[in-house]
């Protein structure tokens, strides 16, 4: 598909939606009804999806790729989250003022399901069970944001970087090799540190067996050891 | 009233609820119905209101005083917010797992309206308009948390402390005298910095005309000048 081209969605997308927090636990007919008119769209590197404060026309489910969510404060941009496959974005804008809370920009390439907001909202109206489900989902997102604030307040830069690396590891123990999924400048933004601090944090992690290689590859010698370091109280 | 003593509420509390985000815009009869069985309770210094993970029995509106909201991560406590008069706390726990997201502890003294969660939830069921209103409120809270994350990622300690001081100032310009509303250790926790960093941040603010006096009093010589400093891009 070329950039921005769209198509209606099939069984494979429906299957993926059933594993997305907002839709999981809902009946197939309900998911079909809520997503009526939805299109699968693919966008390339740095595509501006929507801006903070824009009126919501579609909400999106990330089917593949990464989308950067940022907000402006006093004219400077802060990356709040890099949303991954399986995340619904823009859902908080469905209610209240009906405007996006953050700016969304595609990294490298992303395939999204664009769900028309107006019909979604209209379908919700007579369905108390689905609305209660959405309130639960939103309370879950609140929980995630509270976690992120706690991390920012409690952890050193090295610990935050360590946790980020651990989030990409599939194994529970032993060694692992991971690659930064997008450029390091953006990882620094997402973790709330300057690029220089990220380099220093990476050097500090060498002491617990984490070693940088070429091509953004990082080798973790011992997952358990890194996990312990990230949970340590003694902030340096 | 002695500690924990309760009473039903009158017109004055109803008036205050009409200025609380969760209830503002709702009809008096709806507010009365949602808060059926609610009691006004007063608690003293360090009263443990509820713990993170506890099942929600009551949600609270702060009628007077301050309540500290904290969360635990890896055994360490992080203050997420010190909630003030007019804030509803525990509302995100009404849905989903029905458990509190944070631990709530009264600072000095607080008067609260305790609203039974079960009857609140039951009253919501047939009322789509009220539920949509609640979804809006929750999306507003998400917006506030996103702001806080952006501040933590973008601002220096001195700028965060400056913004905190400005939030206590009633005037728009000129000079102002404010007093720390609770002890400085807790202000440091809330702003995500160590007590030493708060002292250093306070010293830095002297350069923009902010001076510490005895008894936790702070004199701001020029509100505009402090506001400009807090919005500056050039992080030092």
């Amino acid at each position: 598909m070329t950039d921005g081209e769209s198509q209606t969605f099939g069984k494979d997308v429906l299957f993926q939606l059933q594993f997305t927090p907002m839709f999981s636990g809902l009946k197939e007919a309900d998911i079909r009804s809520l997503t009526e008119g939805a299109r699968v769209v693919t966008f390339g590197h740095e595509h501006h999806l929507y801006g903070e404060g824009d009126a919501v026309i579609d909400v999106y489910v990330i089917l593949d790729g990464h989308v950067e969510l940022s907000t402006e404060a006093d004219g400077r941009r802060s990356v709040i989250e890099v949303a991954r496959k399986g995340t619904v974005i823009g859902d908080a804008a469905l209610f209240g003022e009906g405007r996006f809370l953050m700016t969304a920009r595609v990294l490298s390439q992303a395939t999204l399901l664009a769900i028309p907001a107006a019909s979604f909202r209209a379908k919700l109206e007579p369905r108390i069970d689905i609305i209660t489900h959405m309130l639960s989902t939103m309370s879950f997102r609140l929980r995630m944001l509270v976690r992120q604030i706690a991390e920012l307040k409690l952890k050193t830069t090295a610990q935050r970087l360590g946790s980020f690396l651990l989030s990409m590891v599939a194994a529970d123990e032993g060694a692992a090799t991971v690659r930064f999924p997008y450029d390091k400048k953006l990882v620094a933004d997402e973790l709330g540190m300057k690029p220089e601090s990220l380099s220093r944090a990476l050097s500090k992690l060498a002491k617990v067996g984490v070693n940088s290689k070429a091509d953004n590859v990082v080798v973790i010698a011992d997952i358990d050891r890194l996990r312990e370091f990230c949970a340590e109280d003694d902030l340096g």
Side-chain angles (χ1 to χ4, degrees), chain A:
Chain A
M1 270 199 294
T2 54
D3 206 42
E5 197 184 320
S6 73
Q7 55 181 46
T8 55
F9 69 90
K11 273 277 176 198
D12 53 331
V13 170
L14 189 76
F15 183 76
Q16 206 179 321
L17 290 181
Q18 285 165 335
F19 288 91
T20 303
M22 196 165 162
F23 298 101
S24 72
L26 294 182
K27 291 196 194 85
E28 183 178 321
D30 287 333
I31 299 178
R32 285 259 177 231
S33 162
L34 285 170
T35 58
E36 200 181 302
R39 302 99 52 212
V40 175
V41 279
T42 297
F43 295 109
H45 189 48
E46 299 203 343
H47 177 81
H48 175 86
L49 195 59
Y50 54 77
E52 181 174 353
D54 287 354
V56 58
I57 294 167
D58 293 310
V59 295
Y60 300 89
V61 182
I62 303 175
L63 300 175
D64 200 27
H66 293 98
V67 177
E68 175 204 82
L69 298 172
S70 64
T71 184
E72 288 228 349
D74 305 315
R76 292 184 69 229
R77 209 169 58 91
S78 173
V79 176
I80 300 298
E81 187 188 352
V82 174
R84 295 150 201 230
K85 186 176 170 159
T87 308
V88 180
I89 59 173
D91 52 334
L94 278 167
F95 303 93
E97 295 168 58
R99 295 188 176 274
F100 288 112
L101 305 190
M102 295 186 268
T103 294
R105 191 174 69 113
V106 170
L107 302 178
S108 47
Q109 184 176 295
T111 302
L112 309 166
L113 183 69
I115 305 170
S119 86
F120 188 100
R121 259 191 296 236
K123 296 276 174 42
L124 277 182
E125 253 172 57
R127 290 295 302 271
I128 197 78
D129 52 342
I130 294 181
I131 289 189
T132 306
H133 180 83
M134 285 207 56
L135 271 163
S136 308
T137 306
M138 218 171 276
S139 114
F140 179 79
R141 283 209 80 155
L142 278 170
R143 189 183 293 266
M144 293 298 102
L145 291 176
V146 165
R147 278 277 135 218
Q148 189 179 160
I149 291 172
E151 286 246 317
L152 281 165
K153 289 185 178 176
L154 285 174
K155 302 245 174 209
T156 63
T157 52
Q159 288 177 319
R160 299 212 302 271
L161 179 60
S163 298
F164 178 83
L165 293 172
L166 285 171
S167 76
M168 292 189 291
V169 170
D172 271 347
E173 50 181 11
T177 300
V178 296
R179 186 192 295 267
F180 282 100
Y182 29 83
D183 75 84
K184 281 184 188 164
K185 165 80 179 69
L186 185 61
V187 173
D189 278 353
E190 188 184 0
L191 297 175
M193 54 184 86
K194 295 180 192 167
E196 314 87 81
S197 311
L198 186 130
S199 299
R200 276 198 299 272
L202 211 46
S203 308
K204 277 186 192 156
L205 289 180
K207 288 179 204 152
V208 288
V210 176
N211 290 294
S212 285
K213 304 284 176 190
D215 287 331
N216 286 329
V217 167
V218 175
V219 178
I220 301 166
D222 184 343
I223 292 171
D224 264 342
R225 196 173 161 206
L226 178 58
R227 197 180 287 127
E228 269 167 39
F229 169 79
C230 293
E232 261 166 28
D233 271 15
D234 195 279
L235 299 182

